[in-house]
């Protein structure tokens, strides 16, 4: 298990990270294996360890939430000494805030779905939303945000930013009128609710339904909100 001194001595050694679960080990290991030297001079070993800790934190927060996740567990999942978690991130609160950073692919996917006119936009938006959640590289951050929003202010703020910021920018050209923000927030409610029940609560048969079926049925609800101009 790495310590602060180990990181400095074996920078670039490429040691594989391990974790408590197969999913966490794979995610942390992938981060550890893709390290590159930062322009500011940080050595590859330090970058690899920092990324492995952040990846492990996202996995742990997504599975257990903020309160039930300890720095010790994050360190074990990342395969490093707990002192390294403090070294790179300081407190659990700060690490949690870093874990809430959402990948840019979310806005890119929704923006792309909004292209092509109003016909079928509901299904395209739902399909884009599901594609981001199905991506193993982005799901932990999303699950951390959704699971923690009810009990953690920072997560709730990030969720609101996703709803009123990312979606508003992506759909601003198609949802218009005096009630545009209201309808945008209603689309956000539909999408967050879908993600909560499909990926967090695992409500069957929704959780195991194929993407085409979910997008076809759920897209009708989103379509109605987007195109309603009465």
């Amino acid at each position: 298990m790495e310590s602060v001194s180990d990181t400095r001595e074996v920078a670039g050694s490429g040691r594989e990270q391990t974790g408590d679960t197969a999913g966490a080990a794979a995610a942390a290991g992938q981060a550890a294996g893709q390290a590159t030297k930062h322009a500011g001079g940080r050595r590859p070993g330090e970058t690899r360890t920092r990324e492995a800790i952040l990846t492990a934190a996202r996995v742990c927060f997504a599975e257990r939430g903020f309160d039930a996740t300890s720095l010790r567990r994050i360190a074990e999942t990342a395969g490093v000494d707990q002192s390294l978690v403090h070294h790179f991130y300081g407190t659990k609160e700060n690490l949690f805030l870093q874990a809430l950073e959402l990948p840019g692919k979310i806005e890119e996917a929704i923006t792309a779905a909004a292209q092509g006119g109003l016909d079928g936009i509901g299904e395209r938006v739902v399909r884009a939303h599901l594609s981001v959640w199905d991506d193993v590289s982005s799901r932990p951050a999303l699950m951390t945000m959704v699971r923690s929003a009810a009990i953690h202010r920072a997560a709730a703020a990030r969720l609101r930013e996703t709803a009123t910021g990312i979606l508003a920018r992506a759909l601003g050209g198609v949802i218009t009128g005096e009630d545009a923000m209201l309808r945008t927030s209603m689309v956000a409610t539909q999408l967050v609710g879908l993600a909560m029940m499909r990926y967090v609560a695992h409500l069957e048969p929704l959780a195991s339904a194929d993407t085409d079926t979910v997008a076809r049925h759920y897209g009708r609800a989103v379509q109605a909100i987007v195109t309603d101009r009465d």
Side-chain angles (χ1 to χ4, degrees):
M1 183 170 288
E2 280 187 277
S3 64
V4 174
S5 59
D6 292 334
T7 302
R8 290 169 180 157
E9 291 173 3
V10 300
S13 65
R15 183 172 67 82
E16 185 178 4
Q17 303 296 324
T18 58
D20 292 337
T21 65
Q30 183 180 21
Q34 294 178 342
T36 56
K37 187 173 182 179
H38 286 194
R42 181 177 292 145
R43 289 177 290 183
E46 293 184 351
T47 301
R48 181 177 64 250
T49 302
R50 184 183 183 92
E51 292 177 349
I53 292 171
L54 183 57
T55 300
R58 283 174 171 149
V59 171
C60 292
F61 286 133
E63 291 178 348
R64 294 168 167 259
F66 179 81
D67 290 337
T69 298
S70 66
L71 292 182
R72 179 179 178 181
R73 181 168 184 90
I74 292 171
E76 290 175 350
T77 302
V80 302
D81 189 270
Q82 187 174 329
S83 63
L84 279 171
V85 181
H86 293 287
H87 173 68
F88 286 116
Y89 292 99
T91 64
K92 184 172 81 167
E93 178 77 16
N94 183 58
L95 179 53
F96 180 70
L97 293 176
Q98 296 292 317
L100 284 174
E101 289 296 326
L102 299 179
K105 65 181 67 176
I106 298 174
E107 186 166 354
E108 294 171 3
I110 300 298
T111 299
Q115 306 303 312
L118 290 176
D119 188 28
I121 189 174
E123 183 172 336
R124 294 197 306 273
V125 167
V126 173
R127 191 178 298 277
H129 177 69
L130 294 176
S131 72
V132 176
W133 273 86
D134 286 334
D135 187 333
V136 294
S137 67
S138 56
R139 188 187 298 181
L142 291 166
M143 288 192 68
T144 297
M145 175 183 68
V146 171
R147 290 193 63 169
S148 304
I151 59 175
H152 199 284
R153 253 183 279 178
R158 187 58 51 84
L159 185 58
R160 287 193 298 272
E161 163 57 21
T162 300
T164 61
I166 292 177
L167 279 177
R169 290 190 295 271
L171 300 177
V174 292
I175 299 182
T176 58
E178 295 181 357
D179 63 348
M181 186 55 69
L182 171 62
R183 287 190 287 135
T184 298
S185 65
M186 292 173 69
V187 170
T189 301
Q190 293 287 331
L191 297 180
V192 172
L194 172 59
M196 173 67 77
M197 302 311 293
R198 180 174 170 87
Y199 299 101
V200 180
H202 301 291
L203 175 67
E204 293 293 357
L206 174 62
S208 57
D210 64 89
T211 298
D212 289 340
T213 299
V214 176
R216 184 174 68 255
H217 290 300
Y218 215 83
R220 296 168 186 162
V222 174
Q223 183 78 30
I225 296 171
V226 172
T227 57
D228 181 13
R229 294 178 178 175
D230 294 334

